[in-house]
Amino acid sequence: MIKYITFLLPGYSNKPIGGYKIVYEYTNRLIADGYVVNIVFPIHLLWYSYGFLHKTKLIILFLISKVYKCCGIGKWFNLDSRAKLKLTWNLSEQEVPISDIYIATSIETAMELAKFNNINNNNKFYFIQGFENWGKFNEDKVFQSYRLPMKKIVISENLLDIVKSAGGIAELIHNGFDSNKFYISLPIKEKNKHSVTMLYHTSLLKGCKDGIDALNIVKKQFPQLKAIFFGKDSPSENLPPWIIFYKNPSPKKLNEIYNNSAIYIGTSHSEGMGLVIGEAMLCGAAIACTDIGGYKTLAKNRETALLSPIKDPQKLAANIIELIEDDELRFNLATNGNIYIKNFSWDVAYNKMKHILLSDSCNDGEGR
């Protein structure tokens, strides 16, 4: 009988990360269903990407966790207290709790899980939430990971196509969205059409500079334009006074930010599915975003969003301007998006995940 499930995350963080949020959502539901869930955070797996100060903090945290046998993820997510969190130095088989099912959540953890010799491959899963051709892994290495001997699960049609093109096989489970946390509190037609919001991130893959450049273009035509940014890290550049930034807003505050904006802009060059545009849709924002595979699950051009090429602030600005000038278009996109996003419920996502984990795994005891 399947009882113990272990998620392998690539590193420790107490700040909001989209992929971690999805893992924590599944963790809460699995625990509510009676499963024992471990979440493992290896310290050294992403060591190459950390600065000196961050490495020092991680070493201290690791030593503290060894003494007190616990660690936390911060207050940004309400994780069930019964989740068993473990900091390890690396991701060796000996340091990972004995479980019935093991779920890698990144290319780094999948590569390590593949080395576990005492675990049946039917008990190994690779949860793919993005095309991770960044860091130290090139496209060939990513494609190679999609052929590892473990079950693959993807979150979008775009990722499913990529895995198939690499010679792999995967199951598709769309991410769910929580309409109890994100909802319309200010009617679509009452939102200020000159108010725009955007997730700010220091990663170049998020394309935030393109978003700022686009908004500067729009500002010249509409001096009354206001923007609200939010994110886990403070901006690395000075923002103009008409852009307000909120660091790590609570879900309640984030719902307020989405509702106070008529338009949400997504500027990423690569996404797995696009969590934030889905949340904005639930709150009734019209979407202007980049034309990338990960967004297309939710963003249908001129149906639920306006799309523009990546790295093209001019085209993004033109779409924002069109949404400001055309009230009917803005209302229609926001309404269509709000209706469409409700097809992606957490109940559907969880039931499919549980079915795949339980039906595809060995049921003759522990994975090792």
Side-chain angles (χ1 to χ4, degrees):
M1 179 179 177
I2 302 296
K3 183 176 181 181
Y4 296 92
I5 298 172
T6 293
F7 286 98
L8 307 175
L9 292 176
Y12 174 79
S13 178
N14 59 3
K15 296 179 180 179
I17 298 176
Y20 284 34
K21 178 180 180 179
I22 298 301
V23 169
Y24 297 158
E25 291 280 3
Y26 280 119
T27 295
N28 281 354
R29 285 164 173 78
L30 286 164
I31 290 174
D33 254 0
Y35 297 95
V36 177
V37 181
N38 303 291
I39 304 176
V40 178
F41 305 91
I43 296 296
H44 204 257
L45 207 55
L46 298 177
W47 199 252
Y48 68 93
S49 67
Y50 301 144
F52 175 77
L53 182 59
H54 191 57
K55 288 179 179 177
T56 303
K57 290 180 179 179
L58 285 176
I59 291 172
I60 294 172
L61 182 66
F62 176 71
L63 294 174
I64 291 174
S65 73
K66 287 297 181 183
V67 174
Y68 294 100
K69 307 297 182 184
C70 66
C71 67
I73 64 164
K75 297 180 179 180
W76 66 275
F77 189 91
N78 186 23
L79 183 65
D80 194 304
S81 61
R82 291 170 291 179
K84 299 182 182 300
L85 311 181
K86 182 176 182 180
L87 263 68
T88 63
W89 185 250
N90 55 37
L91 209 54
S92 67
E93 187 171 350
Q94 293 72 28
E95 291 200 61
V96 174
I98 294 176
S99 297
D100 301 306
I101 292 173
Y102 301 82
I103 306 172
T105 61
S106 69
I107 182 173
E108 295 91 354
T109 56
M111 292 291 194
E112 295 302 313
L113 180 58
K115 300 174 186 176
F116 290 12
N117 295 321
N118 297 315
I119 298 172
N120 191 305
N121 287 338
N122 287 331
N123 298 77
K124 299 177 182 179
F125 291 81
Y126 184 5
F127 186 32
I128 302 167
Q129 299 191 69
F131 184 62
E132 298 173 282
N133 61 335
W134 55 78
K136 65 179 182 180
F137 295 102
N138 58 29
E139 288 191 4
D140 289 341
K141 281 290 187 182
V142 179
F143 287 141
Q144 179 183 333
S145 77
Y146 296 159
R147 296 188 291 271
L148 291 171
M150 59 186 72
K151 308 290 185 179
K152 287 89 179 177
I153 301 169
V154 298
I155 63 172
S156 68
E157 290 82 359
N158 179 60
L159 288 171
L160 182 62
D161 290 341
I162 292 173
V163 172
K164 287 181 178 179
S165 72
I169 300 173
E171 297 280 355
L172 171 62
I173 306 178
H174 292 126
N175 288 333
F177 293 87
D178 192 340
S179 58
N180 292 317
K181 290 181 180 177
F182 300 104
Y183 51 86
I184 295 176
S185 59
L186 181 64
I188 289 171
K189 292 187 177 181
E190 295 180 19
K191 298 182 190 296
N192 179 1
K193 66 181 180 179
H194 298 107
S195 182
V196 180
T197 192
M198 183 184 86
L199 168 68
Y200 183 89
H201 200 290
T202 55
S203 170
L204 295 178
L205 281 174
K206 297 298 183 182
C208 291
K209 184 180 183 303
D210 301 332
I212 294 171
D213 290 344
L215 290 173
N216 280 322
I217 294 171
V218 178
K219 182 72 172 178
K220 291 178 181 178
Q221 186 165 336
F222 296 98
Q224 63 270 56
L225 181 75
K226 296 181 180 180
I228 303 173
F229 290 0
F230 61 91
K232 67 183 181 68
D233 296 315
S234 299
S236 57
E237 56 194 293
N238 292 324
L239 298 176
W242 52 272
I243 299 179
I244 300 173
F245 175 78
Y246 290 93
K247 185 173 182 179
N248 292 335
S250 65
K252 181 179 179 180
K253 183 63 180 179
L254 188 53
N255 190 76
E256 178 186 318
I257 291 170
Y258 288 138
N259 271 279
N260 287 336
S261 302
I263 301 167
Y264 179 85
I265 60 172
T267 57
S268 289
H269 301 166
S270 176
E271 286 285 350
M273 182 173 169
L275 283 178
V276 184
I277 66 169
E279 293 172 354
M281 284 178 173
L282 279 176
C283 297
I287 306 299
C289 64
T290 46
D291 187 2
I292 57 174
Y295 279 157
K296 284 186 175 179
T297 296
L298 306 178
K300 313 296 183 182
N301 196 35
R302 308 199 78 82
E303 295 179 20
T304 62
L306 294 184
L307 306 184
S308 58
I310 64 170
K311 303 179 183 180
D312 194 336
Q314 294 281 349
K315 292 288 181 61
L316 177 58
N319 282 345
I320 298 170
I321 289 170
E322 184 176 3
L323 288 174
I324 292 174
E325 292 181 332
D326 191 335
D327 290 345
E328 184 176 0
L329 175 65
R330 190 177 68 257
F331 296 156
N332 286 340
L333 291 184
T335 301
N336 292 344
N338 183 258
I339 293 171
Y340 182 64
I341 193 61
K342 291 174 183 175
N343 293 311
F344 300 87
S345 76
W346 265 113
D347 286 343
V348 171
Y350 173 64
N351 287 332
K352 189 168 185 180
M353 175 67 80
K354 185 170 68 169
H355 174 76
I356 291 172
L357 294 178
L358 301 187
S359 64
D360 286 353
S361 302
C362 293
N363 287 280
D364 56 357
E366 295 176 344
R368 64 173 182 186

